[in-house]
Amino acid sequence: MTKTSSLPQDTFLTHTGRNPSRYAGYVNPPIFRGSTILAESLEAWEAAQHSGNPYGNYGRFGSPTISAFEDAIAELEGGYRTQVFPSGLSACTHTLLALLEQGDHVLITDNVYGPTRSFADEILPRYGIRVDYFDPLIGDGIRQLIEPRTRVVYLESPGSQSFEVCDVPLLSEIAHAAGALVVIDNSWASPLYFKPFEHGADVSIQAATKYILGHSDALLGTVTSNVHAWDRLQKRFQQFGETAGPEDVYLGLRGLRTLGVRLRQHSESALSLTQAMSRHPAVMHVMYPALPDDPGHALWKRDFTGASGLFSFILGSEDRAVISRFFGALQHFGIGLSWGGFESLALPVGRPKRTASTWQYGGTLIRVHAGLENPQDLIKDMCNALDQAQACIEQASQQQDAA
Ligand SMILES: *Cc1c(COP(=O)(O)O)cnc(C)c1O
């Protein structure tokens, strides 16, 4: 097999997890389906239990397809080991359950992915785990929130829907000094644009459903950790019994082949779109850390090597007719959940839930994913929909003046 570590990322992505000489010359590895793995002898069976290779004796512990994908993600994130999960959310929830126990306290960023928040609010307390949220821009102030039983500080940067960038190295240093582990949901940047372990995280989660799979045709999650956290995670993960289907994992591996080139296009389109939208009168605010006047720009520039295609903006009205006109005018942006696929999306969010920080915007938050369509088509389409929204806003204010 080609030695893949230390290769430049794009080259690594084309070589990883392949072994043509082992599989009759085929470029791609086969998809292994299976539960039972037979041992050739009693001695081989016993050796499989003791070899330090937990993937040797049952389908639930992995397969060559799964290991190829997990090893590639571990390498890209810069961690020690990876475990695949059947969805991004399942990766988030099982990580929290694995690391926390009765009496523990967890600090979670206020802009965390909504379903992770709902799990933390409704499931963790049932196991005697206390949850507090913090302002993603808290910085040094997190010291005041850490308690003797704070075991995990859970980050997502940039955070869901509003894209604040947090200071991962600073928060990690403070968490570690207090004996807590740092978990980060790294889905926005993907492992290509943010290296969580170089910035202090102990565990990194990917909703691989998004950029890694990249085609909106399957769900997957990954959890990668450093050696220190892996000990605890691996045992719990085996007890939880989560697995992912071999076809989906294969699609994850296939998605990796084009991840670099896709992300560059998503990024370029998102940057042109956000620049054009920033100047539009119907847009109150654009949230995308790659823009020089974004409040998170300095941290993003310091810690990230790229920006993906997902951002939000505030449409300058909460009026249903305006929002409806905007979405009705879009031709290339589908209305739907998720992101990271080849297709552009727009999602009406409204007002995101915040309990530890204040949401300072009126208007309507809309999240946008810039897909792989021609960037000029996307800009034209978006600006046309914004023009229509603006016309609707002006109409309403004229009617108000007349009344
Ligand atoms: C989508 C998403 C998830 C969950 O991934 P699924 O595969 O849809 O379960 C987790 N975190 C973030 C930041 C996401 O955007």
Side-chain angles (χ1 to χ4, degrees):
M1 212 196 298
T2 319
K3 186 183 177 313
T4 48
S5 53
S6 81
L7 289 174
Q9 254 174 189
D10 282 320
T11 309
F12 172 79
L13 290 170
T14 66
H15 283 287
T16 185
R18 303 200 292 114
N19 196 347
S21 64
R22 190 161 161 203
Y23 303 122
Y26 280 75
V27 168
N28 287 294
I31 298 173
F32 282 82
R33 309 184 57 88
S35 52
T36 298
I37 300 163
L38 298 175
E40 285 180 353
S41 63
L42 178 65
E43 289 68 31
W45 170 251
E46 286 166 351
Q49 320 284 310
H50 300 297
S51 64
N53 167 23
Y55 310 116
N57 58 11
Y58 193 45
R60 204 173 59 230
F61 304 128
S63 70
T65 315
I66 290 170
S67 303
F69 180 64
E70 290 176 337
D71 292 350
I73 297 292
E75 172 90 25
L76 287 167
E77 296 252 47
Y80 172 62
R81 289 272 168 81
T82 297
Q83 164 132 347
V84 68
F85 283 83
S87 72
L89 180 59
S90 139
C92 300
T93 59
H94 285 91
T95 298
L96 286 167
L97 272 184
L99 295 177
L100 294 163
E101 54 190 75
Q102 188 178 17
D104 284 351
H105 176 240
V106 54
L107 283 171
I108 301 181
T109 183
D110 206 19
N111 54 4
V112 73
Y113 178 63
T116 302
R117 186 182 190 111
S118 151
F119 174 86
D121 287 343
E122 293 182 29
I123 307 292
L124 292 182
R126 292 170 55 186
Y127 296 94
I129 297 157
R130 284 186 317 104
V131 181
D132 276 315
Y133 293 92
F134 61 90
D135 183 333
L137 306 179
I138 194 168
D140 206 54
I142 202 164
R143 285 179 205 281
Q144 271 80 60
L145 301 182
I146 289 188
E147 301 177 6
R149 287 294 296 267
T150 307
R151 294 285 189 259
V152 171
V153 174
Y154 190 100
L155 310 175
E156 186 181 316
S157 182
S160 266
Q161 299 177 330
S162 44
F163 304 95
E164 298 91 343
V165 180
C166 70
D167 193 335
V168 180
L170 174 68
L171 296 178
S172 300
E173 195 191 312
I174 298 169
H176 290 157
L181 290 172
V182 174
V183 176
I184 186 164
D185 183 329
N186 191 30
S187 304
W188 179 86
S190 93
L192 298 201
Y193 289 167
F194 182 75
K195 300 294 179 190
F197 299 95
E198 288 174 15
H199 294 92
D202 301 284
V203 180
S204 176
I205 294 169
Q206 291 290 333
T209 306
K210 311 291 170 53
Y211 284 119
I212 291 169
L213 280 159
H215 295 72
S216 307
D217 53 0
L219 296 151
L220 277 186
T222 63
V223 178
T224 304
S225 97
N226 57 18
V227 185
H228 173 56
W230 184 252
D231 262 2
R232 285 161 69 185
L233 288 175
Q234 188 192 24
K235 177 152 184 248
R236 295 289 172 249
F237 286 171
Q238 290 192 5
Q239 289 166 326
F240 292 146
E242 292 290 289
T243 62
E247 268 81 8
D248 292 348
V249 174
Y250 177 82
L251 288 175
L253 196 56
R254 188 168 77 165
L256 286 178
R257 308 297 177 203
T258 55
L259 181 60
V261 69
R262 282 187 288 112
L263 271 174
R264 283 195 287 279
Q265 186 60 50
H266 287 297
S267 180
E268 199 184 305
S269 290
L271 192 61
S272 330
L273 260 173
T274 50
Q275 283 165 345
M277 292 168 71
S278 300
R279 297 188 291 267
H280 199 284
V283 172
M284 283 168 59
H285 187 67
V286 177
M287 294 147 164
Y288 187 54
L291 291 176
D293 57 356
D294 187 277
H297 186 70
L299 282 179
W300 170 78
K301 222 171 144 177
R302 186 191 72 185
D303 295 346
F304 291 68
T305 55
S308 72
L310 190 74
F311 63 90
S312 284
F313 74 98
I314 307 275
L315 182 68
S317 171
E318 289 175 66
D319 185 348
R320 165 108 204 143
V322 175
I323 300 165
S324 163
R325 179 87 76 93
F326 170 78
F327 280 100
L330 290 172
Q331 303 282 311
H332 296 309
F333 294 81
I335 305 170
L337 286 174
S338 201
W339 45 273
F342 54 84
E343 83 288 14
S344 287
L345 294 171
L347 180 73
V349 175
R351 207 186 150 84
K353 177 163 184 178
R354 296 290 182 266
T355 54
S357 48
T358 44
W359 184 250
Q360 50 172 321
Y361 303 101
T364 302
L365 184 83
I366 295 173
R367 194 184 69 187
V368 178
H369 180 243
L372 301 179
E373 300 86 348
N374 177 294
Q376 291 312 314
D377 284 345
L378 293 181
I379 294 171
K380 232 167 49 192
D381 191 36
M382 178 58 71
C383 288
N384 173 55
L386 290 170
D387 288 347
Q388 306 243 351
Q390 182 61 18
C392 199
I393 292 171
E394 284 167 14
Q395 242 168 12
S397 85
Q398 276 161 14
Q399 275 162 7
Q400 218 167 34
D401 289 350

